[in-house]
Amino acid sequence: MSYHCRRVGDKIQDEVKWIETGPAQVKQMSILKYDIEIQVPAEEFADSKFRQRHPNVTLQRRVFKSTDTPNQLLYQGPGIGFALGLKDYEGVDDLHVTTHVTYTAPTRMLFTWTMSHPTKGITGTIVYPEDQELIANPFGLTEEQANMEHKPGMFTVDYDSWLVTDTGFAFQLIGRVQTGAGGKVTQSAPPVSVASATDPTVQKPTLPATGIPQPPPVQTKTA
């Protein structure tokens, strides 16, 4: 997921996070690897006063990885996931955030992806096994402003308008229907699959919803 943190007054959000809190999902999924990329707008980074306001930010673009020592993406709280505090980037308007996460999850289990902070404009990509089919249903998004592209093994959503907390989409993997010899219709078995949420943006980031019945939120990404 990728997105831009926008300043309200003199502040932006305190952290970027990707959290799964659904009890059934937490028990049956495993996070393999993840990272968060932070990019400061070029004009702001070049400003001579930027270093004075943000002495710990020495790179315009920095990637925080789960394999770093020490790992700065540790999360303590209910569920599983990771988080990055934005204290060093406090007040940086239009901060670009990209979150990547690769995880295993059971097929046929319902997941939701929602925003944890108000965000304007996100891009999200889910990469999954091509023998599966991803069913996605957005909620809280204006359909005419949501650009969703779907092809075997990849689902992408771009949304240019505002998302409020808990806006997002529900998705599920099911076996892809196939036509075998003699025209017999079969469906691939639902093995445990690897799903990868990569960016565009989100700040997902994660790539939020009101007034529409929705499944219980499980995956929360910061925008």
Side-chain angles (χ1 to χ4, degrees), residues 141-160:
L141 281 67
T142 305
E143 290 189 14
E144 51 269 29
Q145 294 178 314
N147 181 21
M148 291 182 283
E149 182 179 356
H150 210 160
K151 57 185 178 182
M154 182 177 293
F155 169 78
T156 301
V157 57
D158 287 295
Y159 193 68
D160 292 332

Side-chain angles (χ1 to χ4, degrees), residues 7 15 60 74 82 141 160 177 201 219:
R7 186 168 57 206
E15 63 179 356
Q60 181 192 357
L74 297 179
F82 52 95
L141 281 67
D160 292 332
V177 175
T201 133
Q219 293 179 8

Side-chain angles (χ1 to χ4, degrees), residues 4-71:
H4 296 259
C5 300
R6 300 314 306 267
R7 186 168 57 206
V8 177
D10 60 351
K11 298 182 180 298
I12 61 171
Q13 64 193 63
D14 295 331
E15 63 179 356
V16 176
K17 61 185 178 181
W18 188 98
I19 308 297
E20 174 60 74
T21 58
Q25 287 81 354
V26 169
K27 289 180 180 179
Q28 300 184 65
M29 66 185 295
S30 178
I31 299 177
L32 303 180
K33 61 180 180 179
Y34 50 90
D35 66 66
I36 295 177
E37 175 187 317
I38 304 293
Q39 187 166 330
V40 178
E43 290 186 5
E44 176 133 6
F45 188 76
D47 188 329
S48 59
K49 296 181 180 179
F50 181 84
R51 294 293 178 84
Q52 299 175 20
R53 296 190 296 261
H54 307 281
N56 295 327
V57 180
T58 58
L59 298 173
Q60 181 192 357
R61 172 184 174 274
R62 182 173 178 184
V63 179
F64 299 85
K65 300 180 180 181
S66 57
T67 54
D68 290 344
T69 303
N71 181 0

Side-chain angles (χ1 to χ4, degrees), residues 10-13 53-54 86-93:
D10 60 351
K11 298 182 180 298
I12 61 171
Q13 64 193 63
R53 296 190 296 261
H54 307 281
L86 295 178
K87 184 177 180 179
D88 289 342
Y89 298 91
E90 186 175 6
V92 178
D93 190 28

